Amino acid sequence: MEAPKKNAVLGPLVGAVDQGTSSTRFLVFNSKTAELLSHHQVEIKQEFPKEGWVEQDPKEILQSVYECIEKTCEKLEELNIDISNIKAIGISNQRETTVIWDKNTGEPLYNAIAAPVSPGPSDPVAVVPSGSSVPAAGTSSVWLDLRTQSTVANLGGTILGNNFIKSKTGLPLSTYFSAVKLRWLLDNVEKVQKAVEEDRALFGTIDSWLIWSLTGGPKGGVHCTDVTNASRTMLFNIHSLQWDQELCQFFDIPEKILPSVRSCSEIYGLMKSGALEGVPISGCLGDQSAALVGQMCFQDGQAKNTYGTGCFLLCNTGRKCVFSDHGLLTTVAYQLGRDKPVYYALEGSVAIAGAVVRWLRDNLGIITTSDEIEKLAKQVGTSYGCYFVPAFSGLYAPYWDPSARGIICGLTQFTNKCHIAFAALEAVCFQTREILDAMNRDCGFSLRHLQVDGGMTNNKILMQLQADILYIPVVKPSMPETTALGAAMAAGAAEGVNVWSLEPKDLSAVTVERFEPQINAEESEIRFSTWKKAVRKSMGWVKTPSLADIFGGPSIFSSLPLGFFVMGSMLMLIGGRYISGQLLFKLDHFIS
């Protein structure tokens, strides 16, 4: 294909920073076609200064953004694409990671206290009881910063039986969210304490740190965040859309250090240096919200599922704030303009998705690469009655049973590794159905189809199984960069930029691969009911931890393999059966 001529008119372009826990990327899209033109990626490090601590260098993150922008612009020039056509920049970021810095010097006062790197299996970590709230279903991580466990335990002791945090924020009291990380910094880091006293300290999640730095830093940088990131701090009232004075008092956080809260689509400021100096930064969303927008889930009841090591599911509940009775989080989905309405979402997660493939590879050795599982499953096309429940660290929503452990059942002399591979893929699909069924119950309507993205969606066997087990169509876009696309769409649509129309009639038709159910509804239900039978068989394998175990002090965590994160740090299991004997579940990664 002939490269475009220099200054060829491709239509206005929009860039997107996609800042994650393990890498940073900058991508450039054509705003008229949503075509990805070029991108660059830089890996970033995680630091582990102590057991149970996970940190990142804010300056390294910022430098990686500058590098990605510069390298992408160089690639565009090589393609004879004029970078002056880039009219706006959007930001999508890892959520909850906490940064505090000196507004006079621009220097971080401490490393960023990280959010989970990526979902994956390990032992659960305790979750503090907070009324009837529970963490997002099954979120987990390879790494979890545990330093705030005592902070959460102390705070939890003051609100037992009081649900005011969840009622205001949609979140349980948890180590996962930013407020307790900030509280730890204020309690334990002298430089932070002094900077707050001297009115030099600014707090933000990664988006705030980047926007402030890119728009000038100490020389007039804009200190702001958007509603989606603010809604993951545990300080933001998702009803009033403001920092909540009562919550700030509860966590003893000075409001003066918090960023202003803006919509996801408006001009925050201009780039002050680099190849794109003068270009407005006009879009900002947490990563999972950005993926929801990138999948164009703008209607009530539309949902997307991102398949990786675990799964993140978001369902647009429209302008209605829906609170879950089945272990899901309530969060802000997006607000695409200063005067536009806020839309909400229910969020849940599957703990073990791609992680079960990795387990087959690393622990059992029945495959040597993750891609081989599709080939094995295709050879047999059935599990031959074999069911795999990957409850490596207990069962999460909707069961909340810490005593469960993983099982493979229904084995016969005929069963071989191909059937086990097939059963592992089915397990991902059955777990997704459990969460979607919970969403259907909470929302009061049934999802008509599921939109999907993420690395595992390249597995066609998995996608067809998912359609069969949900008994609704599964829709996969041909352009996989939905998170960055969502940030670019928000930026291009901002007032004053106006190069990307979000009107339904103007949205580019996205090429999709559609997987329709290929079995009848009765067979789908039989397979799902047999899965639930297998789940029941997995229960009761280990002793449930007692209250003394959970609140026995920091030493209990020395015996826990770091890493399993299920949106929180302590959980009260509710319902009659749990109140009678299984009140608390050590469990551990939700949510953009």
Side-chain angles (χ1 to χ4, degrees), residues 352 388-396 401 404-407 431 531 538:
I352 312 296
F388 188 166
V389 181
F392 297 141
S393 302
L395 288 168
Y396 305 104
D401 186 350
R405 285 298 178 266
I407 64 168
Q431 290 178 97
W531 154 265
S538 75

Side-chain angles (χ1 to χ4, degrees), residues 70-297:
E70 297 300 314
K71 294 293 187 183
T72 302
C73 288
E74 290 174 10
K75 292 177 181 180
L76 289 171
E77 293 282 4
E78 291 171 3
L79 292 170
N80 294 319
I81 297 173
D82 191 341
I83 63 172
S84 67
N85 285 332
I86 299 176
K87 303 302 182 185
I89 295 170
I91 292 176
S92 168
N93 59 286
Q94 52 170 306
R95 303 175 297 175
E96 295 94 13
T97 293
T98 299
V99 188
I100 192 162
W101 66 94
D102 188 317
K103 67 182 180 182
N104 295 334
T105 66
E107 291 294 313
L109 296 166
Y110 193 81
N111 272 345
I113 300 181
V117 174
S118 61
S122 178
D123 282 356
V125 178
V127 173
V128 162
S130 122
S132 61
S133 65
V134 290
T139 310
S140 58
S141 69
V142 174
W143 297 103
L144 165 66
D145 193 286
L146 299 177
R147 77 187 74 193
T148 56
Q149 283 289 346
S150 60
T151 303
V152 169
N154 291 335
L155 290 168
T158 68
I159 62 164
L160 292 180
N162 188 330
N163 205 26
F164 88 104
I165 290 180
K166 184 181 178 184
S167 66
K168 288 172 177 285
T169 68
L171 310 173
L173 176 60
S174 160
T175 59
Y176 183 60
F177 305 108
S178 306
V180 291
K181 299 173 185 177
L182 180 54
R183 183 66 258 154
W184 185 92
L185 288 166
L186 291 167
D187 288 339
N188 294 280
V189 181
E190 188 175 344
K191 284 174 65 177
V192 171
Q193 297 164 357
K194 188 174 181 181
V196 170
E197 291 169 4
E198 297 175 357
D199 199 24
R200 293 184 287 110
L202 296 178
F203 154 79
T205 42
I206 293 296
D207 58 300
S208 297
W209 163 245
L210 293 179
I211 292 173
W212 183 84
S213 300
L214 296 172
T215 58
K219 298 178 180 179
V222 179
H223 186 216
C224 69
T225 188
D226 81 290
V227 290
T228 67
N229 280 293
S231 74
R232 310 294 291 191
T233 62
M234 267 196 315
L235 298 171
F236 185 70
N237 190 310
I238 61 176
H239 309 287
S240 68
L241 303 178
Q242 296 175 339
W243 299 119
D244 190 280
Q245 189 174 26
E246 189 177 10
L247 289 170
C248 289
Q249 290 173 351
F250 174 74
F251 290 104
D252 195 16
I253 303 295
E255 289 188 60
K256 64 183 181 181
I257 72 173
L258 302 179
S260 63
V261 182
R262 313 276 283 272
S263 77
C264 305
S265 180
E266 61 180 275
I267 296 176
Y268 312 115
L270 306 180
M271 290 284 293
K272 292 301 184 190
S273 63
L276 298 182
E277 182 177 355
V279 175
I281 300 173
S282 53
C284 182
L285 302 102
D287 52 8
Q288 297 306 318
S289 289
L292 194 74
V293 171
Q295 286 270 27
M296 302 180 196
C297 294

